[in-house]
Amino acid sequence: EKMSDLSKIFYTSAVAILSGVIIFYLQQLVSEIFIPAIADQRKLRSDIKHSLKYYANIYANPGRCKEEYVVPAEDKFRELASSLDASLVAVPFYCMIAKIKFVLPMTNVLEAYKKLILLSNSCRHAPLAEAKDSGRENSRVANEIEKLLDLK
């Protein structure tokens, strides 16, 4: 049986309204969840770049700086590492979003996290038996972090 003209109008209106509601909720999801989380990670990357430059004199000279300068650098690198790791959870469906290149690959973020922790642990004492190379090693680690997070 054919639908009456009035039924067609109601059906078309219902589909249009339902489509509008679905699109509205999808837009809200993107603008309230995805975009802020991605923007936060981007800001965090900026903070990491700043800290790598700001504290370069500390991590490039482990064991040679005053304690009052070393502690803030250690704390900052550990804080940044923890925030970077947490950013993987803050961005929903991180792996899928990384595939379309809206965020960095998860492996890069995890590796940068580990290297920031290493840098935090290496500001005070040389991680290597040979302390003379530890500053160069820390600088190399900082450069790797910049590459992993696409900060160059």
Side-chain angles (χ1 to χ4, degrees):
E1 175 178 327
K2 293 186 177 184
M3 288 200 306
S4 70
D5 287 341
L6 189 57
S7 296
K8 287 179 185 178
I9 291 170
F10 283 133
Y11 178 73
T12 304
S13 297
V15 169
I17 291 169
L18 185 59
S19 297
V21 168
I22 291 171
I23 289 170
F24 173 77
Y25 280 115
L26 288 175
Q27 184 268 332
Q28 288 297 106
L29 181 72
V30 169
S31 67
E32 297 294 325
I33 296 174
F34 287 99
I35 292 174
I38 291 169
D40 288 348
Q41 189 188 65
R42 192 170 198 82
K43 170 75 171 90
L44 178 60
R45 289 169 52 208
S46 172
D47 292 346
I48 290 169
K49 183 171 180 94
H50 174 266
S51 294
L52 288 173
K53 301 299 181 201
Y54 187 80
Y55 292 114
N57 62 322
I58 305 296
Y59 65 72
N61 298 292
R64 295 187 195 114
C65 299
K66 292 181 180 179
E67 186 84 4
E68 64 193 79
Y69 300 118
V70 174
V71 171
E74 291 173 329
D75 291 345
K76 186 65 173 181
F77 288 132
R78 188 162 298 277
E79 176 193 344
L80 291 169
S82 299
S83 296
L84 187 62
D85 187 43
S87 76
L88 295 174
V89 177
V91 178
F93 310 108
Y94 193 95
C95 290
M96 290 178 12
I97 294 173
K99 287 180 183 175
I100 54 176
K101 311 238 188 238
F102 283 143
V103 292
L104 295 169
M106 184 180 277
T107 54
N108 286 30
V109 174
L110 290 172
E111 192 61 30
Y113 156 77
K114 292 175 192 173
K115 290 185 183 299
L116 281 165
I117 294 293
L118 174 66
L119 216 49
S120 173
N121 293 340
S122 302
C123 286
R124 185 183 315 257
H125 306 291
L128 306 172
E130 302 174 32
K132 64 181 179 178
D133 292 334
S134 61
R136 244 180 276 152
E137 177 63 17
N138 286 348
S139 295
R140 187 187 64 73
V141 168
N143 285 333
E144 287 179 11
I145 293 168
E146 286 186 341
K147 287 177 188 170
L148 288 165
L149 298 179
D150 197 24
L151 301 176
K152 292 270 181 181

